[in-house]
Amino acid sequence: MISFCGIQLRHPIVNGSGTFDAIAARRAFGDALLRDFPFAAFVSKTVTLAPRQGNLPPRLWELAAGMINSIGLPNKGLDGYLAEDLPRLAELPVPLIVNVMGSTPEEVATLVAAFAGREEVAALELNVSCPNVKTGLLMGADPGETAALLDAVRPRTAKPLIVKLTPNCASPAAVAAAAEQHGADAVSLVNTLRGMAIDPRRPGQPWLGGGTGGVSGPAVRAIALAQVREVRERVRVPIVGMGGVQSGRHARDLLDAGADLVGVGTESFRDPRAGGRIAAELAEIDANSGIVAGPPKPARPRIAQSL
Ligand code: RRO
């Protein structure tokens, strides 16, 4: 078992928010999904206060090494999530992390407060980094905005707060430091990198209904590694590292760069069991290298060590 923000987890592999629909997977695989759940904790797709339709189609574009999504946050809104999704997600055999997003700090605080007393919820992830809507990205691109968000949200819950960082800004590490200083318990990164594809039949016109989208998959793995390393050098809080992980080796690299958990996202679209496979591969790598799974090393920023 490993401990993450006081939550006990069987292994370090979780899903990236919005990349695995556990309710649909339960319909497809039945109770076998519960017996052999691929992730050590489940992070649900972003919830907003009001229901949203999401972006116009097309919403996906496949790349040589990943994909671009422009989903635009379709969801049932807080009331729909509480009534329909939360009871089903609470049946999963692993801790539940609810991802929320709002267009103002007050809106995010309202969402956080709604989950504060829910025993089914182990932690909350604040999405300040969606590339596909105008709001949200702003808060996560600027350390001052992120600090103000935490100031509004932190007093509303005792549950662990994870801040999901964007790679689309000048300094993710500065944003991580602001989040930590203002009460975040952990940070997660990377969300997707803004990108676009041209419609092959309409030269110069974007393929995606939303115009631009978020690039994920193997194409972003080297960027994720560099950003996790940079954030680790600035903060002590645990890091959920993700970006293009396809194997246990990739997961080990992110852990070695300073992550405490690893998120699997795009790979689950190719293989819904990828999380379990990657966890098994990681355990094998660690068994063969003499690394013992146990309490994670205390997070010590490199900066502090060199002082
Ligand atoms: O729904 C989306 O389009 C989306 C979100 Br909320 C996000 O955080 N990251 C992403 O790549 N897509």
Side-chain angles (χ1 to χ4, degrees):
M1 291 294 250
I2 58 172
S3 179
F4 170 78
C5 297
I7 307 163
Q8 300 306 306
L9 302 177
R10 275 189 295 126
H11 57 75
I13 306 298
V14 301
N15 65 299
S17 171
T19 61
F20 188 92
D21 184 339
I23 295 172
R26 175 96 184 265
R27 271 199 302 273
F29 300 112
D31 287 347
L33 179 79
L34 306 186
R35 287 192 295 276
D36 200 11
F37 198 70
F39 306 108
F42 181 71
V43 187
S44 66
K45 168 85 182 152
T46 304
V47 188
T48 53
L49 262 187
R52 288 176 55 95
Q53 294 287 323
N55 288 346
L56 287 174
R59 290 176 168 181
L60 285 180
W61 176 265
E62 195 172 332
L63 297 170
M67 65 182 186
I68 316 180
N69 85 79
S70 174
I71 310 296
L73 258 150
N75 78 102
K76 298 170 183 166
L78 176 62
D79 291 345
Y81 183 89
L82 289 174
E84 293 170 35
D85 291 359
L86 188 57
R88 293 186 209 168
L89 296 176
E91 290 173 13
L92 298 177
V94 296
L96 174 64
I97 299 172
V98 176
N99 180 303
V100 299
M101 182 179 138
S103 45
T104 62
E106 294 67 39
E107 230 177 86
V108 182
T110 304
L111 283 156
V112 163
F115 291 103
R118 294 280 179 159
E119 274 180 14
E120 313 92 303
V121 178
L124 290 153
E125 184 173 62
L126 310 180
N127 187 358
V128 294
S129 49
C130 175
N132 297 333
V133 287
K134 289 200 186 72
T135 53
L137 182 62
L138 279 181
M139 271 192 266
D142 175 73
E145 300 263 356
T146 302
L149 172 69
L150 266 299
D151 289 347
V153 166
R154 182 69 278 178
R156 307 298 292 273
T157 185
K159 291 194 191 292
L161 288 173
I162 308 162
V163 176
K164 177 93 175 251
L165 302 171
T166 178
N168 303 309
C169 72
S171 175
V175 176
E180 176 181 59
Q181 278 154 25
H182 290 257
D185 298 287
V187 294
S188 50
L189 70 153
V190 295
N191 205 323
T192 50
L193 280 86
R194 198 177 323 104
M196 80 176 292
I198 297 297
D199 185 337
R201 285 186 295 273
R202 295 185 307 142
Q205 297 301 307
W207 167 261
L208 294 165
T212 57
V215 178
S216 64
V220 310
R221 192 158 55 82
I223 296 161
L225 262 176
Q227 295 204 355
V228 164
R229 168 70 145 246
E230 204 181 319
V231 168
R232 173 44 75 222
E233 288 173 357
R234 286 286 289 273
V235 304
R236 287 166 185 270
V237 291
I239 296 173
V240 186
M242 69 195 91
V245 169
Q246 293 184 293
S247 67
R249 181 71 254 163
H250 298 163
R252 172 63 21 234
D253 286 351
L254 271 172
L255 294 167
D256 289 346
D260 300 88
L261 300 182
V262 171
V264 172
T266 306
E267 187 66 4
S268 297
F269 286 77
R270 299 195 329 163
D271 171 11
R273 295 185 205 277
R277 171 181 57 79
I278 291 167
E281 289 172 6
L282 176 64
E284 170 126 17
I285 288 170
D286 289 352
N288 291 334
S289 69
I291 295 172
V292 182
K297 56 190 181 314
R300 262 183 81 78
R302 210 157 270 266
I303 265 181
Q305 281 169 353
S306 62
L307 285 179

